[in-house]
Amino acid sequence: MPSSFKHTLFIVLLLLAVFAVLPGVYQNHLLLFNFVIFLILAQGVNIIYGFTGYLPFGYVGFFGAGAYGFAIMVMHFQAPAALAVIVGGLVGVALGLLLTPLLRLSGAYFAIANLAASLAVLHFVANPALENITRGPYGVSLTGTFNPTLAYAAALVVLALTLGAVVYLKNSRFGLALQAVREDAVSASMAGVDVVRMRVIAWLASALVAGLAGGVYAWYLSVFYPDNVFSGDFSIFAIVFALFGGVATICGPIVGVIILYGIYNLIGFTTPQYFQLIYGLLIMGLVLFLPAGLVSLATRRGWHVP
Amino acid sequence: MSPDSAPILNVSKLVKRFGGFHALDGLSFHVLSGEILGLVGPNGSGKTTAINVISGLYAPDGGEVVLDGVSIGGVASHKLVHRGVNRTFQVPKPFLSLTVRQNIEVALAYGRAVGTPPEMAALLEQYRLTEVADRPAADLNNAQQKMLDLVRALATRPRLLLLDELAAGLNPTELDWIAGHIKALAQSGTAIIVVEHLMGFIEQITDRVIVMNAGKEIFEGKLAVAVRVPQVIEVFLGGEHAA
Ligand SMILES: Nc1ncnc2c1ncn2[C@@H]1O[C@H](COP(=O)(O)OP(=O)(O)O)[C@@H](O)[C@H]1O
Ligand SMILES: [Mg+2]
């Protein structure tokens, strides 16, 4: 095993162990759960943006679709929660498939079309005419499956799978080919890479991750409205966290979530009046001085960042 | 050089339009396995466009591209690569943030080279990239990036190789060196189309040239003959650059 791969494995396992132990010593379980959700979503953004260059401004669409996939399985089919989470992931993939034509767009056009698509899904789900299926704007209440402890454990499993996927991308020829596509799609095709197929696979993988995360989120909350699980904040936070730490690495998005979501919860609660200011300055500073994310502080020194 | 008689590529009446403008306007030619064909002509005469169509970047608007007797117009680039077509770019296009080694790895992994795949170490050595193998491609100078483009193509074992101004910017020693490599590739059976402005270089390596103007062929044959054809002379002297 190459040593960089061992380092990666160590970081990933440490992170999972810390989040497995923390609920025993720290009371605010909802906060821990939200950390895990953002760790998953930031890595999901990493898969599609870091490895292909598509910026998913409507990433929450998959998350919300996954949450409603979960809810519908539980409400209408009395499915066990674990199965409903898997269905949530598959609903995310199905939405991803439906949106594959967006991959023909580039840059800002893709980002905007993806945002519009997520709003369309929100309004579809929240449509009062669908009350019998989604409960429309009135929200869902899933008391039968309510079990925050298990839901938290499921979130950790999804995080482990997601990190596993990113570790694979970082260390496989497949991931290398994806990065080649991101760098120069024409050249990638001249290396024999099926560019369209690669992009679709990465897109669906990141949709799956968000769908699964939405599923466990619905499981944990049990009671929610369309606006809760389709909130644009999820997309923005996941993107900002991933970019802040640095995409196309495993550590970058992790560092981004821990620091930014940590600060968010620290100053957001204690001194909310300064929160927006500090947050805004941090992000501006980063974009201006470290466009490749915090990890570029290390890579610039020639250190290898897994 | 001993080209055998099987034409690997046949281009006939090829048309490529950009808007109303005909970049290729009925271009026809063929290349044999093991042959080095020069494609010359003034700037804007459609040489790069011809390469782009043959390598699957653009679908033709008319005419045919036939590889090994099968029409390939509109077939996706990566599929053509798997069928033995590859190319370099006039402005080299490496994967800038990947290392030189990783650049080549992608092509070795995805190029589906027929037979024993080329070896990384040998490719790096032959094209003088060993010393920079672990540096990002962005660190290379233009000539090195061109060599990397070439090595990426060679990693897929092409039977038809299209070189778009590979020699531009090389010094005379480097020119001799790369000419030797191109000839050796042809000797091993690869058909090679060379687009180049340096007539000395074209003279040194090609078996035959096609002179293009305004998307059409205006001459086909030996370069030594071409330079005495009034129409060819006029195109070059009237063009924006003298070859
Ligand atoms: N993608 C494109 N869009 C519009 N015009 C193009 C495009 N590619 C080439 N052209 C035009 O087609 C003509 C031929 O270009 P090109 O094939 O690059 O010439 P050459 O390689 O012989 O210098 C030029 O007039 C060029 O401006
Ligand atoms: Mg050109």
Side-chain angles (χ1 to χ4, degrees), chain B residues 43-44 46-49 90 164-165 195 197:
Chain B
N43 276 330
K47 306 180 295 292
T48 297
T49 303
Q90 186 171 344
D164 199 352
E165 303 199 20
V195 169
H197 287 304

Side-chain angles (χ1 to χ4, degrees), chain A residues 168 170 172-198, chain B residues 55 57 77-78 81-82 85-87 89 93-98 102-103 105-111 149 152-153 156:
Chain A
Y168 171 73
K170 259 313 257 191
S172 64
R173 289 167 156 186
F174 181 83
L176 187 62
L178 270 180
Q179 292 180 67
V181 171
R182 179 198 64 199
E183 295 277 306
D184 192 317
V186 166
S187 289
S189 72
M190 295 321 297
V193 176
D194 185 341
V195 171
V196 174
R197 185 164 160 269
M198 297 299 273
Chain B
S55 62
L57 253 44
S77 289
H78 68 277
V81 169
H82 298 157
V85 180
N86 218 315
R87 63 169 296 170
F89 293 90
K93 284 162 72 72
F95 310 119
L96 289 171
S97 72
L98 303 187
Q102 288 175 320
N103 268 265
E105 249 169 51
V106 179
L108 286 174
Y110 284 82
D149 250 23
R152 180 179 63 218
T156 70

Side-chain angles (χ1 to χ4, degrees), chain A residues 19-72:
Chain A
F19 274 91
V21 169
L22 270 178
V25 293
Y26 183 69
Q27 317 312 330
N28 192 343
H29 290 183
L30 175 62
L31 179 63
L32 293 177
F33 178 78
N34 282 335
F35 259 103
V36 175
I37 289 293
F38 278 117
L39 283 167
I40 298 169
L41 292 180
Q43 292 293 0
V45 167
N46 192 18
I47 292 174
I48 185 67
Y49 180 69
F51 288 87
T52 71
Y54 286 98
L55 194 55
F57 261 4
Y59 195 48
V60 73
F62 302 124
F63 181 79
Y68 269 89
F70 179 92
I72 288 170

